Amino acid sequence: DSGYLPRAVMLLDGLMVRLGLHGRAIIPMVVGTGCNVPAILATRTLESKRERLILATIIVMAVPCSAQTVIIIGTVGQQSGLLWAGLIYLVLLALALVLGRVLHVVLRAEPASLVIEIPELSMPSPSNILSKTWLRINDFFIIAFPLLLAGSLLLELLMAYNILDALVDPLSFITVGLLGLPPAIIVALIFGVLRKEMALQILFVIFSLTASADLGQVLTPQQLFVFALVMATYMPCIGVFSALTKEFGLKEAVAVSMASIAMAFLLGGTANFLLSL
């Protein structure tokens, strides 16, 4: 409402065109640092489904929401320092650029030209801000909240009947073999599908730590880095999956989710290998 974002759109148009998008794509990416659900909904501002799908894929895999930032800062940032946490953000930035370029080549088409009016800078109206904020909050509750509630009930049932514990050993080839993490970490990864910040909370439950305890007591700095990197690119939470399904259809939502899981394990396995040298 202040008129600044259209200026940012114009400034970044040259970079975004190289990714098969245009400058307007930067707005959903900024929104995504808060929550990926409204970011996916905000891709509606782009003209073609191709551009929207490229942008949604980048947001899901390479734009960390506030919950993922909590995990990055709460693990790597706290134990290894902000430089190591910053390295994860550099990896995500590189991933966004590579993903955009690859998808631009695979989904071949010329990006739409940008036509945008540059308004004068002005003082935002409080009533406009409140009404638009309410519309976005309303969208979240309609699209994401029902699935979050259903997912919570399902996870509680799985825990009550110890079904999650039964998955620890069969999936240890991923956690231990590929990622170099304790086998029980798979429970935190499963909870991360519901809500990303829950994965960090579950770590304290798994290792029977108090809220003031130090994760460095049970995980090495290398393991914390790998865990945070995986969670930063791992499958979108169930709310984001709901938004993807609404905007693009079930087929595309499943494809993006499976691709994000594969990318997370690829990056995590590579980081584990390099840090083990």
Side-chain angles (χ1 to χ4, degrees):
D1 281 4
S2 69
Y4 174 74
L5 273 181
R7 288 163 170 77
V9 165
M10 290 300 298
L11 287 172
L12 294 168
D13 185 59
L15 171 64
M16 302 308 290
V17 165
R18 296 178 182 273
L19 307 183
L21 303 169
H22 54 62
R24 194 178 280 115
I26 198 64
I27 297 176
M29 294 177 74
V30 172
V31 173
T33 60
C35 177
N36 283 178
V37 172
I40 298 299
L41 300 179
T43 61
R44 298 170 185 170
T45 58
L46 275 66
E47 287 79 7
S48 69
K49 183 176 180 180
R50 169 190 175 275
E51 291 177 315
R52 294 174 60 223
L53 188 58
I54 291 175
L55 180 56
T57 304
I58 292 174
I59 289 171
V60 167
M61 294 193 195
V63 178
C65 66
S66 56
Q68 290 167 311
T69 296
V70 166
I71 294 175
I72 295 170
I73 301 301
T75 55
V76 180
Q78 184 181 34
Q79 301 299 323
S80 305
L82 292 180
L83 287 179
W84 281 96
L87 179 59
I88 292 181
Y89 284 99
L90 288 177
V91 171
L92 294 177
L93 175 60
L95 177 61
L97 296 175
V98 171
L99 271 177
R101 193 60 190 168
V102 169
L103 290 173
H104 177 40
V105 173
V106 173
L107 304 176
R108 200 66 190 164
E110 286 298 318
S113 58
L114 176 65
V115 178
I116 188 170
E117 179 183 356
I118 304 296
E120 294 184 4
L121 291 173
S122 60
M123 184 63 68
S125 163
S127 61
N128 282 347
I129 292 174
L130 289 173
S131 62
K132 292 177 182 179
T133 301
W134 166 245
L135 289 174
R136 286 160 174 77
I137 293 174
N138 193 45
D139 270 350
F140 178 85
F141 277 106
I142 291 173
I143 295 170
F145 183 74
L147 277 178
L148 288 174
L149 179 60
S152 297
L153 293 172
L154 177 61
L155 281 177
E156 285 300 323
L157 287 173
L158 293 177
M159 289 186 68
Y161 290 98
N162 294 322
I163 296 176
L164 290 180
D165 293 339
L167 297 176
V168 172
D169 288 335
L171 295 177
S172 62
F173 71 96
I174 295 176
T175 50
V176 180
L178 179 63
L179 304 177
L181 300 173
I185 291 289
I186 194 67
V187 177
L189 294 179
I190 293 172
F191 267 88
V193 175
L194 178 62
R195 280 172 46 203
K196 284 292 187 289
E197 70 274 14
M198 283 185 67
L200 181 58
Q201 298 165 350
I202 292 299
L203 286 185
F204 286 84
V205 176
I206 290 172
F207 298 114
S208 301
L209 300 174
T210 63
S212 59
D214 187 350
L215 278 175
Q217 299 172 6
V218 292
L219 295 173
T220 66
Q222 171 186 328
Q223 290 175 323
L224 289 170
F225 182 88
V226 171
F227 174 75
L229 182 60
V230 169
M231 289 306 303
T233 50
Y234 186 56
M235 176 180 173
C237 68
I238 196 167
V240 177
F241 183 82
S242 174
L244 283 171
T245 303
K246 182 179 186 298
E247 293 298 309
F248 300 101
L250 182 60
K251 180 181 177 181
E252 286 82 357
V254 171
V256 172
S257 298
M258 293 299 102
S260 71
I261 293 175
M263 181 61 68
F265 289 152
L266 175 62
L267 289 175
T270 302
N272 177 48
F273 173 75
L274 294 176
L275 294 172
S276 299
L277 294 177

